């Protein structure tokens, strides 16, 4: 969203407001004249009384705008307001109207201060529309400045166990950095272990560096893609200074990066990076076009989930240069024997609460097998929510999947495991990570005992959370493992439980069924 601040009011300013007031993004008008402010408020325009020539007053009232428009009819006020705005909001895109009868000195002052200066009503109206239509102008300028200030190599870090959206975004940001003369390296912690994700990287010959969390490393500069905080969904020190953040997930806390572009209103981080490639004039070659298109497809569930016009436009931009044949090969990878075994255990060990299925598959070698098992178990007749979990290396990992939109699985997992570990994700796809803690002593020698203890502890918490968050759990019947009907103890009076969904919390580790590593962050 573009946050717009208008300084002053008058004939030209009124014409601009008539054009832009209905556009998305915040809009605030500041003016010293109380009667004009009252008139604007009567027209449902956010307006406040302020001295537009005082930088301190502007900072106090104006927030952190992306665009500042100086639009008074008085040229003296405009010259002073432009200087004050430049001081108060050095990162904002500043457009200034000269006013009526501006002197040569006033015009020079505006030219030295503002990014754009216009002198005619029609011209300023067109300029304002152009800037608002391309609300990325300010972001592009800020990102360019941030990248060009990097001394050394920019480490572009995807979240742990990255999915296609995170991988594609990391590669794209590196290409953008290189286009302005900055060395950049795409990196990740964890594993790329899901079959489709491995095929994605291998077939497109994408080169990423896997970082060792045990190895001490000094970073010249750091960028985070598809997540927004160091130490959350990655294995950085939480105190690591971050230079750039590009993400589409809601942040879990304050974002302290020098530059951040977090847009919860788009379906994929790859969409945002596609826009930046275009604005920086970087050609999306075959590999990156295919990667970004696949990233958008995966995070929007083939354009069926949380999709926006921006996602469609980005996909349309990428499609002519993408390799559709490679996409088809990515989506048809071989499935490992380990994954089939986890799916089989998921079926054998399933417990049903109405249309909600939970299954503890015990010890696992590949955490991505859980996501695939959750996807496949969702095909069981009468099941609308699946929750599959197992343990390895002192941690319980879980994946949840849902059909329909009655439950937010991300919220359900957070409800179930609040205080125990990290959880989150989308409405129809979610995940969690829970330290084994006191159960860990049983892991090596008594795997079956541990699985039984976990099933008695974890499964009921999930069922309870789904009842609280939705209507999927019912008193209906679904076939059990031995073929008999199982009576569910679900929520009274409702047929479906709410999907509580998104893959667990490594903010970007969420991928579609059969195509990505589960989110596993907080």
């Amino acid at each position: 969203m573009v946050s717009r601040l208008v300084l002053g009011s008058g004939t030209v300013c009124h014409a601009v407001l008539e054009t832009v007031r209905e556009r998305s993004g915040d809009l605030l008008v500041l003016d010293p004249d109380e009667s004009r402010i009252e008139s604007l408020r009567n027209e449902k325009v956010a307006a406040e009384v302020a001295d537009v020539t005082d930088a301190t007053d502007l900072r106090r009232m104006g927030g952190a705008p992306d665009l500042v428009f100086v639009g008074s009819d008085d040229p003296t006020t405009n010259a002073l307001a432009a200087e004050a705005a430049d001081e108060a909001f050095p990162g904002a895109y500043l457009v200034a109207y000269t006013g009526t009868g501006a002197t040569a000195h006033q015009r020079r002052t505006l030219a030295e201060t503002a990014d754009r200066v216009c002198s005619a009503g029609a011209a300023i109206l067109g300029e304002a529309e152009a800037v608002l239509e391309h609300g990325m102008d300010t972001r592009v300028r800020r990102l360019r400045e941030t990248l060009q200030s990097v001394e050394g190599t920019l480490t572009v870090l995807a979240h742990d166990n990255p999915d296609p959206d995170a991988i594609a975004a990391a590669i794209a940001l590196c290409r953008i950095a290189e286009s302005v003369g900055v060395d950049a390296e795409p990196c990740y912690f964890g594993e790329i272990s899901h079959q489709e994700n491995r095929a994605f990287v291998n077939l497109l010959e994408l080169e990423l560096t896997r970082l060792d969390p045990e190895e001490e490393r000094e970073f010249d500069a750091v960028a985070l893609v598809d997540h927004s905080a160091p130490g959350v969904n990655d294995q950085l020190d939480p105190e690591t200074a971050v230079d750039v953040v590009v993400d589409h997930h809601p942040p879990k806390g304050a974002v302290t990066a020098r530059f951040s572009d977090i847009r919860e209103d788009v379906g994929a981080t790859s969409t945002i990076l596609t826009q930046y490639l275009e604005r920086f004039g970087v050609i999306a070659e075959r590999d990156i076009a295919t990667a970004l298109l696949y990233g958008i497809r995966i995070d929007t569930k083939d354009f069926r989930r949380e999709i926006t016009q921006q996602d469609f436009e980005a996909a349309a931009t990428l499609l002519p240069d993408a390799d559709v044949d490679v996409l088809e090969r990515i989506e048809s990878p071989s499935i490992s024997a380990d994954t089939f075994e986890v799916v089989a255990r998921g079926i054998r060990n399933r417990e049903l609460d109405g249309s909600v299925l939970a299954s503890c598959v015990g010890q696992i070698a590949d955490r991505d097998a859980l996501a695939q098992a959750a996807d496949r178990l969702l095909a069981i007749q009468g099941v609308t929510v699946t929750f599959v979990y197992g343990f390895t290396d002192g941690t319980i990992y879980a994946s949840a999947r849902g059909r329909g939109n009655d439950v937010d699985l991300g919220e359900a997992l957070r409800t179930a495991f609040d205080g125990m570990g990290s959880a989150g994700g989308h409405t129809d796809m979610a995940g969690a990570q829970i330290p084994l803690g006191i159960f860990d002593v049983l892991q090596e020698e008594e795997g079956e005992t541990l699985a039984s203890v976990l099933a008695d502890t974890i499964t009921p918490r999930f069922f309870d959370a789904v009842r609280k968050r939705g209507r999927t759990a019912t008193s209906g019947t679904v076939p059990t493992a031995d073929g008999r009907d199982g009576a569910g103890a679900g929520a009274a009076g409702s047929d479906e439980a709410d999907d509580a969904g998104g893959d667990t919390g490594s903010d970007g580790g969420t991928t579609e069924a059969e195509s990505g590593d589960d989110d596993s962050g907080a």
Side-chain angles (χ1 to χ4, degrees):
M1 293 288 185
V2 178
S3 178
R4 295 155 290 170
L5 179 64
V6 177
L7 305 182
S9 60
T11 305
V12 170
C13 183
H14 185 76
V16 171
L17 289 174
E18 283 299 310
T19 300
V20 304
R21 60 189 292 181
E22 300 301 326
R23 293 178 180 269
S24 61
D26 296 330
L27 172 66
L28 174 65
V29 179
L30 300 180
D31 192 271
D33 190 317
E34 291 188 18
S35 62
R36 286 198 292 252
I37 291 298
E38 188 63 32
S39 175
L40 288 169
R41 288 174 177 169
N42 290 337
E43 296 175 18
K44 309 302 183 189
V45 175
E48 298 291 343
V49 175
D51 183 352
V52 298
T53 66
D54 184 341
T56 300
D57 216 20
L58 294 185
R59 274 193 294 266
R60 180 176 62 85
M61 302 289 293
D66 292 323
L67 169 69
V68 178
F69 170 44
V70 177
S72 169
D73 289 339
D74 177 45
T76 301
T77 299
N78 287 348
L80 294 173
E83 291 180 323
D86 184 52
E87 178 184 344
F89 314 114
Y93 192 88
L94 180 57
V95 181
Y97 171 49
T98 58
T100 304
T103 66
H105 174 70
Q106 289 166 338
R107 291 176 183 273
R108 281 197 301 272
T109 298
L110 290 173
E112 293 169 357
T113 306
D115 294 292
R116 295 291 178 92
V117 179
C118 293
S119 58
I124 187 64
L125 184 59
E127 181 63 32
E129 280 198 297
V131 172
L132 294 170
E133 187 68 27
H134 303 288
M136 292 201 43
D137 282 358
T138 300
R139 295 186 181 109
V140 168
R141 179 164 59 86
R142 290 177 181 173
L143 177 57
R144 186 186 300 274
E145 291 172 352
T146 303
L147 293 174
Q148 290 177 331
S149 70
V150 171
E151 296 182 0
T153 299
L154 176 68
T155 298
V156 180
L157 191 68
H159 55 71
D160 285 355
N161 313 304
D163 66 335
D165 187 34
I167 293 169
I171 297 289
L173 185 54
C174 286
R175 301 282 174 89
I176 290 169
E178 290 162 359
S179 76
V180 297
V182 177
D183 291 334
E185 181 181 20
C187 301
Y188 66 97
F189 289 99
E191 302 283 349
I192 300 176
S193 54
H194 193 288
Q195 284 88 349
E196 285 193 16
N197 291 355
R198 288 199 299 267
F200 169 70
V201 171
N202 293 335
L203 290 172
L204 291 175
E205 299 180 347
L206 304 177
E207 296 185 1
L208 296 91
T209 300
R210 180 171 176 260
L211 301 180
D212 182 353
E214 302 301 323
E215 178 183 333
E216 291 189 12
R217 177 170 176 155
E218 293 291 330
F219 299 101
D220 299 323
V222 172
L224 306 180
V225 293
D226 213 30
H227 69 302
S228 57
V232 179
N233 310 331
D234 64 39
Q235 297 180 56
L236 289 176
D237 184 327
E239 300 302 317
T240 301
V242 175
D243 298 88
V244 174
V245 165
V246 183
D247 190 15
H248 76 116
H249 299 88
K252 304 297 190 295
V255 176
T256 59
R258 293 169 55 206
F259 170 87
S260 65
D261 186 354
I262 300 175
R263 287 186 245 167
E264 302 172 35
D265 60 332
V266 300
T269 303
S270 291
T271 294
I272 302 172
L273 266 300
T274 300
Q275 295 174 353
Y276 278 120
L277 285 172
E278 187 174 19
R279 301 292 286 171
F280 273 81
V282 179
I283 296 174
E285 297 177 350
R286 168 191 162 276
D287 61 342
I288 192 62
T290 308
L292 289 168
L293 179 58
Y294 190 60
I296 296 171
R297 284 182 54 187
I298 292 303
D299 256 39
T300 62
K301 201 169 185 178
D302 263 335
F303 305 100
R304 297 193 304 271
R305 178 183 68 195
E306 299 174 6
I307 187 71
T308 68
Q309 181 176 337
Q310 294 181 68
D311 301 302
F312 282 119
E313 290 174 350
T317 298
L318 297 166
L319 185 59
D321 299 307
D323 191 326
V324 178
D325 291 338
V326 168
L327 288 178
E328 291 178 354
R329 293 170 63 191
I330 290 171
E331 293 170 343
S332 303
S334 59
I335 298 178
S336 70
D338 284 344
T339 297
F340 275 121
E341 173 58 29
V342 169
V343 173
R345 273 187 268 154
I347 295 171
R348 287 196 303 268
N349 301 341
R350 70 188 187 274
E351 296 183 46
L352 292 161
D353 187 5
S355 61
V356 181
L357 180 152
S359 184
C360 178
V361 297
Q363 191 150 8
I364 56 173
D366 178 5
R367 55 172 288 188
D368 288 322
L370 297 171
Q372 295 178 73
D375 291 329
R376 292 181 180 276
L377 292 179
L378 197 58
I380 295 176
Q381 183 177 2
V383 171
T384 60
V385 171
T386 60
F387 175 70
V388 181
Y389 59 99
F391 54 88
T392 185
D393 297 329
T395 301
I396 303 164
Y397 294 98
S399 276
R401 295 290 188 270
R403 286 187 282 107
N405 58 2
D406 288 334
V407 164
D408 183 331
L409 284 175
E411 287 300 319
L413 291 190
R414 279 189 283 270
T415 297
F417 306 116
D418 182 36
M420 296 178 65
S422 58
H426 298 283
T427 299
D428 58 353
M429 177 185 296
Q433 292 186 18
I434 307 165
L436 271 172
I438 60 172
F439 301 120
D440 195 28
V441 295
L442 301 174
Q443 181 175 352
E444 291 187 10
E445 306 258 339
E446 301 181 64
E448 290 187 8
T449 301
L450 177 56
S452 177
V453 171
L454 293 179
D456 290 340
T457 304
I458 302 297
T459 295
R461 293 180 71 97
F462 176 70
F463 285 154
D464 287 345
V466 170
R467 292 191 198 102
K468 291 176 183 176
R469 290 289 177 177
R471 301 185 305 277
T472 302
T474 76
S475 58
T477 60
V478 219
T480 58
D482 59 4
R484 296 173 300 172
D485 283 345
S494 66
D495 295 326
E496 294 182 345
D498 289 349
D499 285 345
D503 284 340
T504 42
S506 80
D507 248 5
T510 312
T511 63
E512 293 314 316
E514 298 299 313
S515 7
D517 300 282
D518 275 344
D519 287 345
S520 54

